[in-house]
Amino acid sequence: QVQLVESGGGLVQPGGSLRLSCVVSGSIFSINTMAWYRQAPGMQRELVAGIFSGATTNYADSVKGRFTISRDNAKNTVYLQMNSLKPEDTAVYYCNAGLRKYFTDSIKDYWGQGTQVTVSS
């Protein structure tokens, strides 16, 4: 019943910006981590940015200084602000959440369906 839904993808010119959102819904006890991954054509999925419940963040070297991840715990939502976009940022972006559905459960990963980001002139 847990569902992750991404939004905010689209077509943007190089140097432009996009803001991705991911809403986690369903029966959830707690969300430990939230993250954004991406997969470009012909490439394997890679971690873009992650954020822990305490707001500690980490980023892939390729996006440091350009992307910002944040979360709204009250809304079970994670965001990815992407600035100074480059053609090499083109990919399907996937939302990931590590969460517990019940306090006795171990943390399990859940994935969204992905949203397309295309950076092109």
Side-chain angles (χ1 to χ4, degrees):
Q1 293 182 328
V2 175
Q3 187 175 20
L4 281 65
V5 180
E6 303 99 333
S7 63
L11 176 65
V12 65
Q13 294 183 339
S17 298
L18 284 174
R19 189 192 191 210
L20 305 182
S21 299
C22 173
V23 180
V24 183
S25 63
S27 181
I28 301 168
F29 175 72
S30 65
I31 301 176
N32 181 250
T33 61
M34 304 186 82
W36 288 96
Y37 289 74
R38 68 185 181 187
Q39 187 167 17
M43 306 292 287
Q44 64 181 0
R45 190 172 299 185
E46 64 174 346
L47 175 67
V48 177
I51 185 168
F52 296 98
S53 60
T56 300
T57 60
N58 68 306
Y59 298 90
D61 289 340
S62 60
V63 307
K64 286 182 178 178
R66 300 188 297 119
F67 291 10
T68 302
I69 188 171
S70 61
R71 65 189 291 174
D72 186 333
N73 292 329
K75 298 180 179 179
N76 289 339
T77 301
V78 63
Y79 306 93
L80 185 67
Q81 179 66 47
M82 304 185 295
N83 299 325
S84 301
L85 284 162
K86 304 174 181 179
E88 50 263 44
D89 294 319
T90 296
V92 177
Y93 284 70
Y94 297 92
C95 180
N96 170 267
L99 58 84
R100 289 185 171 93
K101 295 185 68 178
Y102 188 65
F103 77 95
T104 58
D105 292 342
S106 61
I107 297 175
K108 297 180 180 179
D109 284 333
Y110 293 83
W111 293 89
Q113 293 298 309
T115 183
Q116 177 70 48
V117 172
T118 302
V119 185
S120 177
S121 60

